[in-house]
Structure formats: C-alpha cells, structure tokens
Amino acid sequence: MTHSMSLERRFWQRLRIVLLIVFGLAILLPIAYVVLVSLTPDTEVGGGSIFPTHIAWDNYRLMWSTVHLAHDIGNSVLISGCTGVLATLVALLASYVLSRFRFRGRKPFMVSLITMQTIPQVMMLLPLFVILVIIQNALRVHLVGQYVTIIVTYLTFALPFACWLLLSYMANIPIELEEAAQMDGCTRWQVLTRIVLPLILPGMVVTFVFSFLLGWSDVLFASVLTTPSTQTVAVGLQSYIATGESGGSVFWGQLMAASLTSGIPVVVIFLFFQKFIIGGLANGAVKG
C-alpha cells in the first residue's frame, strides 16, 4: 500500500516537472527567437535562415538612427506613467467613496463600470475621433496629437478596471480602524491618507502596473491620436516595417532589437514592484 502510494506520488511529481518544462519552453522559445533574429543580418532573415552566419551587433546600434526610438520610448514612459498615476489616484478616491458611503446612483454607477469593460475598444475609436474633431473645430483648439488627449483616452479604459480592483482591496480593510481613528480626532482625509493608504498600497501598485501596461502596449488609439512628435514606441516600431511596404528591405533585425529594448522599462517596473505585485495579487491586501 505504501509502495503504491509512493509510486503514485512520484508519477505526479514527474508529470508536474514535465508540464513545467513544456510551459517554460512555450514561454522562452519565442523570446529566444526574437533575440536570435535581433542578431541576424536582415538579408539572412529575409532568406529564411534560422541561424545567422555572423552576429549582426550593428542592429542594436542602427536601430536608434533608423527611427526616433529614444524619443518614442520617452513618450511611452510619459504617457503610460501619467495614465497609471492618474488612474490609481482617481480609483483610490472613487473606491473609497463607493465602499464607505451609500448614496443615490451608487449601484448604477458601479454597473456602468462593468459595462465599460464589455465594450470593445475598437468600436470606440471612430466615435472618439469624430468627437475630438468636432470639439477642435468648435473651440478652435488642437486636440489630436496632444499628450493630454491620449492620456485621457487611456484613462477611460483604465479607470473602470482600476476602480473595481481597488474596491476589492478596500473591502478587506476593517472599517473599525477608521472609526477608531475618527474617535481620536482624525478627519476623513487623515483617515484616508494615514490609515487606508498604507494598507491599500499593494493594490495601488498592482493598479498602477496594469494601467501602465494598458498605455504602453496600445497601438490602435496611439496610431490615430498621436503625431510624430507625440507617438509612442508601439507606433514607432511599425516604422521598421514601413520601409518594406515602400519597396525597400524590412529591417527585421533592428525591429527585434528595438522590441527587446522597448520592453526594458516594463521589466524594470515589474522587478522594482515585484514584492508588492506578488503580495497584492496573492493576498488582496497587506496584512496588518
């Protein structure tokens, strides 16, 4: 009996290891291929070669001059960072009000947040662009191509998710802590900043990261609502392929090198906030 249980346990352990290896290869092989192509000359990539005859380190040097990669990465950091910070702060205030107060229209508002999540973003592109053009012509202001326009656009998609995410964290904070602080003379604002904010910090970090990624990875809205001076790196990467569409050779090696380079800020953010992200996703709040 004990021997059969030991064999069964060993079988499941080996099966788990095999599945982990397969899962790891499924993730790492595409990344390895991107690295390989980034070091391959463009002529060999176009010819279907899998392994390069020589390492093309020039791809990592030329990618900065082929397009304005550094400028585009800076725009992405600015736009995505502002989106993440604003979405987190607004969601913090909104989730606190929704979880601590009862008022008319509260439930319809919460339902509207869910409804916003069900609408495909591509359906919003044309109406949004038409509205912006109408406002431009009516007020004689330039909106398309401005940083504030694309940031506000991303906020419309980031805020519903951010509010619901922080609502789940807010529900785990004992209201008795706030009542005790108020009995000691704290105002609502002091309760929020001194009691609630430290406890909900992991949720705020998770909210910031997801909101940041929404702006960083978007191509659809950035392609329409930005200009060359405000375009993000997701739009700038398309320029490496545009040369092929105009009759030239596609800079595949530079494209892959630029793709790897543009992913560094996201990796840095995950490494920097790793402790908060893991703790926030696993527990839903910091333990007191």
Side-chain angles (χ1 to χ4, degrees):
M1 183 70 176
T2 304
H3 180 67
S4 61
M5 291 179 62
S6 177
L7 289 176
E8 183 179 358
R9 187 181 301 109
R10 192 177 306 169
F11 168 77
W12 287 111
Q13 288 177 347
R14 291 178 178 177
L15 179 61
R16 189 182 301 112
I17 293 174
V18 171
L19 292 177
L20 287 175
I21 293 175
V22 172
F23 183 71
L25 290 175
I27 295 176
L28 294 177
L29 282 179
I31 299 177
Y33 180 73
V34 171
V35 174
L36 185 64
V37 174
S38 71
L39 297 173
T40 304
D42 295 326
T43 53
E44 296 184 17
V45 177
S49 300
I50 298 178
F51 297 100
T53 56
H54 66 278
I55 303 300
W57 294 107
D58 278 350
N59 287 336
Y60 285 88
R61 179 179 61 84
L62 297 174
M63 68 179 184
W64 300 101
S65 56
T66 302
V67 302
H68 302 293
L69 183 62
H71 178 265
D72 295 342
I73 292 177
N75 284 338
S76 289
V77 171
L78 175 63
I79 293 173
S80 302
C82 290
T83 301
V85 171
L86 291 175
T88 303
L89 293 178
V90 174
L92 171 64
L93 299 176
S95 61
Y96 182 75
V97 172
L98 290 172
S99 62
R100 295 298 186 262
F101 298 96
R102 298 295 181 267
F103 52 89
R104 182 177 299 178
R106 175 178 173 272
K107 288 187 177 180
F109 177 77
M110 296 177 67
V111 171
S112 68
L113 295 179
I114 301 177
T115 304
M116 282 293 297
Q117 294 293 99
T118 63
I119 301 177
Q121 295 184 7
V122 66
M123 294 180 59
M124 306 273 297
L125 179 60
L126 182 58
L128 177 63
F129 183 77
V130 172
I131 291 174
L132 289 175
V133 172
I134 293 175
I135 296 176
Q136 278 189 163
N137 296 334
L139 302 180
R140 298 184 182 276
V141 294
H142 191 61
L143 295 178
V144 177
Q146 301 296 317
Y147 288 111
V148 64
T149 302
I150 190 68
I151 291 173
V152 172
T153 300
Y154 289 154
L155 282 175
T156 60
F157 300 106
L159 277 176
F161 174 78
C163 287
W164 272 108
L165 186 61
L166 287 185
L167 267 173
S168 63
Y169 286 92
M170 199 72 69
N172 292 329
I173 299 178
I175 196 171
E176 290 79 11
L177 294 176
E178 302 176 35
E179 293 174 348
Q182 288 181 307
M183 290 180 64
D184 290 336
C186 290
T187 62
R188 276 288 182 183
W189 179 253
Q190 290 174 330
V191 169
L192 178 62
T193 55
R194 298 180 183 181
I195 306 298
V196 176
L197 187 60
L199 294 176
I200 205 173
L201 185 59
M204 294 178 63
V205 172
V206 174
T207 302
F208 169 80
V209 170
F210 277 96
S211 300
F212 182 92
L213 290 178
L214 185 146
W216 187 270
S217 59
D218 173 71
V219 179
L220 181 64
F221 288 90
S223 299
V224 177
L225 300 179
T226 61
T227 59
S229 61
T230 59
Q231 73 178 15
T232 61
V233 67
V235 179
L237 291 177
Q238 300 179 19
S239 301
Y240 294 103
I241 304 177
T243 55
E245 296 175 351
S246 59
S249 59
V250 178
F251 300 126
W252 292 112
Q254 295 182 42
L255 173 62
M256 296 304 174
S259 299
L260 290 173
T261 303
S262 63
I264 292 177
V266 178
V267 174
V268 170
I269 287 177
F270 270 96
L271 292 177
F272 187 77
F273 294 119
Q274 182 179 13
K275 178 181 177 181
F276 291 99
I277 294 174
I278 294 176
L281 291 177
N283 302 323
V286 174
K287 294 182 180 179

